[in-house]
Amino acid sequence: MNPNEITPHLFRTEYSKIVAVLCKTFDIKHIEIAEDIASETFLKASEYWAIHGLPENPTAWLYTVAKNKVKDYFKHLAVIEKNIKTELKTIKSEQEQIIEFDTKNISDSQLEMIFTICNPINSRETQICLALQILCGFSVDEIANAFLSKPETIKKRLQRGKDALRAYHFKIESLQEKDILLRLETVLKTLYLLFNEGYFSRTHPLLIRKDLCLEAIRLTLILIDHSITDTPDTNALLALMCFQSSRLEARINNQGEAILFDEQDESLWDQTLIEKGNYYLVRACDTSNTQVSKYHLEAAIAYWHTSSLSPDKWHAILDLYNQLVIMEYSPITVLNRTFVFSKVYGNKKAIIEAKKLNLTENEYYHGLLGYLYTEINKELAMKHFEEAIRLTSSKSEKQTLQKQINGLKQTM
C-alpha cells in the first residue's frame, strides 16, 4: 500500500491516541507539548516511509517513535530543565516514566482526555471545538463547517479555549461521577458531529469518510463500556450510528457520486449493523423514566429508513421529524422533514412547504426543490440543481447534482 494513502488514515486514528496517552502519562498541562511530539512522530513517518516503504506494523512503529520522541524531548531540552519540570510530573525521572500504548490505556486516556477538555470553564461551543480538534483530529475548516462558522472565528475560539485550560491548570484526571454526567451532553455532541462529518463530508473530496464514522462508533462504545456513561442518550446515539453506517456501502457509487435513498440497492445494507442498531435502540428506551432526546428521535428515524416498506413508514418518520423540529430546529432538519412530507402528501404540497422555509442561500434547499420539481417542471428542477451547484463547495455534491441535470436534459 502507498504510504501517501495510509498516513492520513493513521493520522486520523492514531494522532489523538498518542496525544491522550502522553498527556495522561506525563501529566502535561500544556496540550501543545503532546501535540508537537505527536506531529513530529507523523512527520518522521511520512519522510521515512516514503524512502523505505511501510513497516510491517505501522501503528506499532508510530508508538515506538513517539516513545523515542519523548526521550529526545527531555534530552535535547535539558537547557530549560527548570521550566520543563513545571510542566511535567515525574515518578523518579522523566526517562524512567513508562509509556504504555496498550488498548486499555489508550481507551482510558482518550475517555479521560475528552471529559477533561469538555471543561465548563469554556463555553459549550469551545469545548466541542477543542474536542473535535484534539481528540478527533478535525482541521479548522472541518470544525467551521460543523458550526456553520468562519475558520478565523474557530481559530480564535480554539486559542482562547486552550489558554483557559492552561490557566485552569489543565490536567487529565479521573473525574467524579457528577462532573462526568455534567459534561456528558457535550461529549455526545462532539461524537455526533464527528460521525456526521464522516457520514456526509462537506470539507473533503470524499463524500463519505468511513474512518471518521468508525472512530465515532469506537469512542461511543468506550462510553457504553463504562457504567456511568452507559446512559439512554449514549445508547440512542450509538443506535443512530449503527443504523446510518449500515447503509454506507449503498450511498455512493464507484465514481464517488451519491446515490439517492430511493435508488439505493438494499442488498448492500449491512444487516448486522441494523441488528446492532435495534439492540442499542431498545437499550436506550429500556427504562420507564427515559427522557426522549434528539438522539432517540434521530435513531428512530434511521430505524424506519432501514426497515422494509410498510403503509405507515413515511407517516411514522414524518411524526418523528415533527417532534425533532420542535426539540431542535435546524435547516437540515426542516429540509429533511420536507422531503418526508413529500412522501406522505406528494411533491406539489411539499414544494409549498419548502418555499415557506425561504432558505435561498442553502444548497440543500435548492437540491430538494430540484428533486421535488423533477416530475412537475423539468426546467425549474434544473434551475434549482444549478443553484445548488453554485452554492456547494463539495466536489462530490457538484458531480451528483450535475448528473441529475444531465438526466433531466435527456428526457426533454
Side-chain angles (χ1 to χ4, degrees):
M1 186 180 290
N2 190 328
N4 293 329
E5 294 176 358
I6 195 170
T7 303
H9 169 73
L10 283 174
F11 182 86
R12 177 70 70 178
T13 58
E14 303 304 325
Y15 175 87
S16 64
K17 296 176 184 177
I18 293 172
V19 170
V21 170
L22 292 183
C23 280
K24 181 181 180 182
T25 303
F26 292 104
D27 192 12
I28 297 177
K29 298 176 177 62
H30 288 256
I31 302 172
E32 289 87 348
I33 295 174
E35 290 180 316
D36 287 345
I37 292 173
S39 296
E40 289 172 11
T41 298
F42 277 91
L43 177 61
K44 181 170 182 178
S46 63
E47 293 172 346
Y48 188 87
W49 295 351
I51 298 172
H52 302 281
L54 285 173
E56 186 175 338
N57 189 333
T59 301
W61 190 96
L62 288 170
Y63 294 161
T64 300
V65 171
K67 292 178 183 180
N68 291 334
K69 288 288 180 184
V70 171
K71 293 178 182 177
D72 291 341
Y73 176 80
F74 296 125
K75 188 183 299 180
H76 296 301
L77 294 183
V79 289
I80 53 171
E81 184 182 25
K82 194 173 182 180
N83 291 330
I84 291 176
K85 286 187 176 179
T86 66
E87 303 294 337
L88 301 162
K89 177 183 177 182
T90 61
I91 296 176
K92 292 182 181 178
S93 71
E94 291 89 346
Q95 289 82 359
E96 292 174 0
Q97 181 68 294
I98 299 173
I99 309 172
E100 295 291 350
F101 282 103
D102 60 85
T103 302
K104 184 178 186 308
N105 194 36
I106 288 172
S107 295
D108 290 346
S109 297
Q110 285 195 290
L111 185 65
E112 292 176 13
M113 181 77 158
I114 195 168
F115 277 97
T116 302
I117 289 171
C118 293
N119 191 314
I121 61 168
N122 283 313
S123 69
R124 186 162 179 259
E125 290 77 12
T126 300
Q127 293 173 45
I128 295 172
C129 285
L130 287 168
L132 286 173
Q133 184 187 63
I134 298 167
L135 264 297
C136 307
F138 269 40
S139 67
V140 170
D141 286 342
E142 287 170 333
I143 300 172
N145 172 62
F147 280 90
L148 301 178
S149 185
K150 295 179 180 179
E152 281 303 315
T153 302
I154 297 301
K155 283 182 183 178
K156 293 176 181 176
R157 186 179 293 172
L158 287 167
Q159 190 56 56
R160 286 196 300 268
K162 288 182 180 180
D163 290 344
L165 287 177
R166 187 181 300 115
Y168 185 76
H169 303 299
F170 171 83
K171 177 182 179 182
I172 290 189
E173 58 187 350
S174 298
L175 298 171
Q176 298 295 319
E177 181 174 348
K178 62 181 180 62
D179 294 316
I180 291 175
L181 294 176
L182 180 66
R183 302 179 187 190
L184 182 57
E185 183 181 351
T186 303
V187 171
L188 294 181
K189 179 69 171 181
T190 300
L191 298 179
Y192 174 80
L193 292 174
L194 171 61
F195 182 86
N196 281 354
E197 176 61 23
Y199 188 72
F200 195 97
S201 178
R202 297 173 63 190
T203 59
H204 195 274
L206 295 176
L207 181 68
I208 295 173
R209 304 168 68 181
K210 294 179 184 177
D211 57 335
L212 297 192
C213 293
L214 291 173
E215 183 66 2
I217 291 173
R218 187 185 71 81
L219 291 171
T220 308
L221 279 167
I222 292 175
L223 297 180
I224 294 289
D225 287 339
H226 286 72
S227 59
I228 297 174
T229 51
D230 184 17
T231 66
D233 285 8
T234 307
N235 280 271
L237 176 58
L238 187 54
L240 170 62
M241 292 177 179
C242 290
F243 285 134
Q244 298 288 57
S245 296
S246 72
R247 295 190 290 113
L248 288 178
E249 296 298 332
R251 288 187 59 240
I252 198 164
N253 62 21
N254 294 331
Q255 289 73 47
E257 300 167 337
I259 300 175
L260 298 177
F261 178 79
D262 293 345
E263 300 171 2
Q264 289 179 12
D265 180 356
E266 293 187 21
S267 68
L268 296 177
W269 293 0
D270 189 325
Q271 293 301 318
T272 300
L273 279 173
I274 292 174
E275 289 172 8
K276 287 184 178 179
N278 290 333
Y279 169 76
Y280 288 112
L281 185 55
V282 169
R283 288 192 80 217
C285 304
D286 202 24
T287 56
S288 57
N289 61 345
T290 297
Q291 290 188 330
V292 175
S293 68
K294 65 168 288 183
Y295 304 122
H296 286 83
L297 294 175
E298 291 195 30
I301 290 169
Y303 157 78
W304 276 108
H305 275 95
T306 57
S307 64
S308 58
L309 285 172
S310 71
D312 298 325
K313 175 174 181 174
W314 292 111
H315 284 87
I317 295 176
L318 182 59
D319 179 60
L320 290 165
Y321 265 117
N322 289 339
Q323 296 177 58
L324 188 58
V325 168
I326 294 172
M327 182 177 291
E328 185 176 285
Y329 180 95
S330 74
I332 293 297
T333 301
V334 294
L335 289 171
N336 285 340
R337 177 196 171 276
T338 306
F339 168 79
V340 176
F341 185 93
S342 73
K343 295 293 185 182
V344 176
Y345 297 108
N347 287 13
K348 288 184 178 180
K349 290 184 177 180
I351 289 171
I352 297 172
E353 287 290 303
K355 288 186 173 180
K356 290 178 184 177
L357 303 173
N358 199 33
L359 297 168
T360 55
E361 294 302 309
N362 185 300
E363 63 265 37
Y364 302 119
Y365 171 78
H366 290 286
L368 174 62
L369 281 173
Y371 167 81
L372 295 175
Y373 272 120
T374 295
E375 300 299 328
I376 298 172
N377 187 321
K378 289 182 172 57
E379 289 186 0
L380 273 177
M382 286 192 291
K383 180 181 177 181
H384 283 291
F385 283 137
E386 288 166 357
E387 186 64 8
I389 290 174
R390 184 185 72 82
L391 289 169
T392 185
S393 57
S394 169
K395 181 180 177 181
S396 55
E397 279 190 71
K398 289 179 186 291
Q399 292 175 336
T400 302
L401 291 163
Q402 187 60 52
K403 185 178 179 181
Q404 297 296 315
I405 293 172
N406 295 342
L408 285 170
K409 287 179 177 179
Q410 292 175 2
T411 61
M412 292 179 71

